[in-house]
Amino acid sequence: MRSLKFQARLLFHRIGISLLKRNASSLNSSHSKYWELIENYTVISQKHLTPEIKLKLITQECQAWNQPVEQNSPHPLGEPFWAFYWPGGQALSRYILDNPLIAKRKRVLDFGCGSGALSIAALKSGAKFSVANDIDTMAIAASQLNAQINAVELNVCEDNLIGSDCADFDLILVGDMLYDSALSDVIAAWLMKLRLAGKVILVGDPGRGPVGNSTLFANSLCHLAKYELDSFTKKDNYGFLQSHVFTLL
Amino acid sequence: MSLRILVGVKRVIDYAVKIRVKPDKSGVITEGVKHSMNPFDEIAIEEAVRMKEKKIAKEIVAFSCGPAQCQETLRTALAMGADRGIHVEVAGPQFDTLQPLHISKMLAQLAKDEQIDLIIVGKQAIDDDCNQTAQMTAALLDWPQATSASKIEAKDGSLQVVREIDGGLETIKVKLPTVVSADLRLNEPRYATLPNIMKAKKKPIKKLTPKDLGVDVSPRIEVVTVEEPPVRLAGAKVENVDMMVEKLKALGHA
């Protein structure tokens, strides 16, 4: 007769799987209706710190790169943060790929996933699963497209998870999300709470305002790695020459 | 040369919008009306960015004073190539009575706080047409000024500026630090492209209050009334020049 504790664990495990299955049933293609729009504006790029990951991005060859945007008029792609591979995300992806044990068998949350590069890096390193989380529908679509191109299976979530207890996750990845000072305070407070609950928090950042020179994480940020940005990224991100990876102590 | 440049950018009603005066004659209607960056300030930012590209400048700080929507104006400046923004938030009735003297005092304080070498502003704003801010800022800082600039060159640690004046063009040499105001023919500003706009969203904007800069924003000037110009009356046709002269005399114009 199996112990009650074991049965409880099995039950939670099954609930967990069914939650995943809700997302997994249309793995990688629930947002495929946006793919044509994304394809129109982007190309596959490997010119970044993680060339082993192919990403659909807006690069200098794209018309969208060079075309002026009129003040006050919205772009058809909305705010395509996902169409650029931010230096913070690049450094963290590089770190994950170079240190595969970090993500191996872990349940990963890719917070503010953008292009989904971090999820792809985690999955390639043997993560149990990775949830690409972004409140922008186009980012979810882009992440799914990139996951398909890189032959990995991605879970997604479009909810605003700030403040949630992340019970289903072991490893939280935060790639270049600390650029807005008001939002950074909220995110930092949430991440510190998650740390207290035993989650591993990894942050990639090129040294933007809050992370660069303030006590955003109450001095509990531990520097893990520094990467020199490649020439393309440097040109795109005037003023940044390196990008860093931190963990919360 | 490795200058840190402070550029003032003002959020004004877009130049193409038809202005309507409020029924109570207290001002013009601004609610729901399209706003954008003062065109002379776009020229100021463009000049600063070109100086950074020529490696004359190392950092560009954009500054705007007004309600929360000024952040959009600052984002445009960041998208054109400024490195960071400073927003001094003033809203509501306090904003309605804001005048160039207040802005000049803020610019002067920021110049000291941020170790600025060069201040560039548009020569005037298209809403009030004051053409005062650059001059007052220079006076407050006891810096030289080069106003209505149509060309700026860096030479031997100072600036050589060609100014547009009534009689034509005047070339002056000003020592740094200095205040410059941009005139129409200084340059043609670039349009922001998508990657720059996206990157601008990740550049920092610092928020301050007038109190943080020690500036009292109570008005020194009171706007008495704002009225539309008189409606243009219909003209009259005359047969020849003699008749025109007669008509002019009859109307008391000659």
Side-chain angles (χ1 to χ4, degrees):
Chain A
M1 166 71 175
R2 289 193 173 150
S3 75
L4 215 56
K5 200 166 159 195
F6 180 86
Q7 285 186 64
R9 265 196 290 158
L10 198 60
L11 181 65
F12 282 127
H13 179 68
R14 286 195 175 133
I15 290 173
I17 298 284
S18 70
L19 277 171
L20 277 177
K21 278 212 175 123
R22 230 196 304 146
N23 288 326
S25 57
S26 46
L27 221 48
N28 285 9
S29 58
S30 62
H31 288 58
S32 51
K33 66 181 182 225
Y34 299 107
W35 287 355
E36 199 180 324
L37 182 62
I38 296 173
E39 299 268 12
N40 280 341
Y41 285 96
T42 60
V43 297
I44 290 186
S45 171
Q46 291 172 278
K47 292 194 174 122
H48 40 70
L49 282 183
T50 56
E52 53 265 71
I53 302 179
K54 294 181 181 155
L55 296 168
K56 294 289 278 183
L57 304 172
I58 293 176
T59 67
Q60 285 156 47
E61 304 102 65
C62 304
Q63 199 190 34
W65 181 273
N66 299 296
Q67 203 165 48
V69 177
E70 224 231 281
Q71 240 187 99
N72 294 325
S73 78
H75 195 272
L77 290 178
E79 288 189 327
F81 285 100
W82 47 265
F84 303 92
Y85 193 8
W86 302 94
Q90 285 193 37
L92 189 49
S93 296
R94 183 73 263 152
Y95 184 75
I96 301 258
L97 289 170
D98 290 345
N99 300 280
L101 288 178
I102 296 201
K104 200 176 181 113
R105 285 196 287 272
K106 296 290 193 301
R107 305 169 300 163
V108 178
L109 172 64
D110 177 4
F111 171 68
C113 63
S115 63
L118 274 172
S119 291
I120 296 169
L123 289 164
K124 278 186 181 286
S125 303
K128 193 163 176 183
F129 62 79
S130 185
V131 173
N133 169 237
D134 205 300
I135 54 174
D136 180 3
T137 304
M138 290 297 285
I140 300 294
S143 298
Q144 287 185 330
L145 181 54
N146 288 323
Q148 193 175 76
I149 291 169
N150 290 280
V152 292
E153 283 192 344
L154 187 70
N155 296 83
V156 297
C157 176
E158 230 173 302
D159 302 328
N160 182 351
L161 291 180
I162 298 178
S164 66
D165 62 10
C166 293
D168 298 326
F169 303 106
D170 310 306
L171 173 63
I172 320 288
L173 303 178
V174 182
D176 218 323
M177 286 294 291
L178 303 165
Y179 51 89
D180 176 285
S181 31
L183 199 58
S184 299
D185 290 336
V186 173
I187 293 175
W190 171 55
L191 292 176
M192 288 197 282
K193 255 193 168 148
L194 291 176
R195 179 74 198 110
L196 285 175
K199 313 288 174 195
V200 175
I201 318 285
L202 289 178
V203 172
D205 197 280
R208 296 187 195 280
V211 175
N213 35 289
S214 90
T215 52
L216 182 65
F217 287 92
N219 295 318
S220 45
L221 268 188
C222 173
H223 189 261
L224 293 177
K226 177 174 84 174
Y227 298 95
E228 197 69 33
L229 294 175
D230 67 286
S231 57
F232 301 101
T233 309
K234 264 193 240 187
K235 227 162 100 182
D236 288 355
N237 289 272
Y238 195 91
F240 292 121
L241 303 170
Q242 293 124 12
S243 192
H244 309 264
V245 177
F246 303 89
T247 189
L248 269 185
L249 291 167
Chain B
M1 233 187 240
S2 203
L3 307 174
R4 183 174 285 123
I5 306 180
L6 177 64
V7 183
V9 294
K10 187 178 182 186
R11 178 178 179 263
V12 297
I13 295 178
D14 188 83
Y15 76 92
V17 168
K18 176 152 172 52
I19 306 295
R20 285 183 0 254
V21 177
K22 286 187 194 166
D24 64 1
K25 295 191 181 176
S26 62
V28 302
I29 297 175
T30 56
E31 227 179 277
V33 172
K34 180 175 172 190
H35 284 67
S36 45
M37 190 192 293
N38 182 37
F40 291 104
D41 300 342
E42 285 182 341
I43 295 172
I45 287 276
E46 174 64 29
E47 196 63 20
V49 175
R50 288 188 190 190
M51 289 175 90
K52 195 166 95 169
E53 286 166 349
K54 285 187 225 163
K55 309 260 200 255
I56 300 169
K58 66 167 179 247
E59 194 187 20
I60 303 170
V61 183
F63 153 69
S64 193
C65 178
Q69 297 96 316
C70 284
Q71 301 239 347
E72 290 160 20
T73 312
L74 282 170
R75 290 282 172 211
T76 304
L78 294 171
M80 285 174 72
D83 299 296
R84 55 190 172 92
I86 296 178
H87 174 212
V88 176
E89 186 149 18
V90 173
Q94 266 202 336
F95 175 65
D96 292 333
T97 55
L98 212 56
Q99 281 138 20
L101 178 60
H102 305 130
I103 306 302
S104 299
K105 289 184 174 179
M106 291 179 199
L107 282 167
Q109 190 55 47
L110 284 171
K112 292 179 201 149
D113 293 343
E114 305 281 344
Q115 282 122 48
I116 300 296
D117 304 301
L118 170 62
I119 298 176
I120 312 181
V121 292
K123 78 167 180 187
Q124 66 196 59
I126 59 171
D127 51 8
D128 56 24
D129 283 334
C130 283
N131 191 345
Q132 297 167 3
T133 306
Q135 294 86 333
M136 287 195 285
T137 308
L140 287 166
L141 285 166
D142 201 24
W143 286 6
Q145 57 184 265
T147 56
S148 303
S150 67
K151 189 168 166 146
I152 305 175
E153 274 176 323
K155 270 184 177 175
D156 316 314
S158 58
L159 294 183
Q160 185 160 292
V161 181
V162 177
R163 303 181 55 229
E164 296 200 19
I165 60 173
D166 285 345
L169 297 174
E170 176 193 62
T171 305
I172 61 171
K173 189 165 117 170
V174 281
K175 289 191 203 160
L176 292 156
T178 188
V179 181
V180 174
S181 76
D183 207 331
L184 201 62
R185 278 155 284 271
L186 179 59
N187 60 51
E188 207 175 301
R190 66 195 62 196
Y191 290 105
T193 58
L194 188 60
N196 302 117
I197 293 171
M198 295 316 299
K199 264 153 229 155
K201 294 187 200 264
K202 297 215 172 188
K203 289 184 185 175
I205 293 181
K206 183 159 75 173
K207 255 168 87 168
L208 296 171
T209 63
K211 214 159 140 212
D212 293 330
L213 297 173
V215 175
D216 163 23
V217 289
S218 47
R220 274 42 167 194
I221 302 172
E222 182 197 334
V223 173
V224 175
T225 172
V226 177
E227 293 173 28
E228 291 204 18
V231 178
R232 194 188 156 112
L233 296 166
K237 271 194 183 160
V238 293
E239 296 262 316
N240 53 48
V241 176
D242 290 329
M243 287 203 64
M244 187 176 83
V245 173
E246 252 185 66
K247 251 275 165 50
L248 284 172
K249 282 187 181 161
L251 288 167
H253 294 305

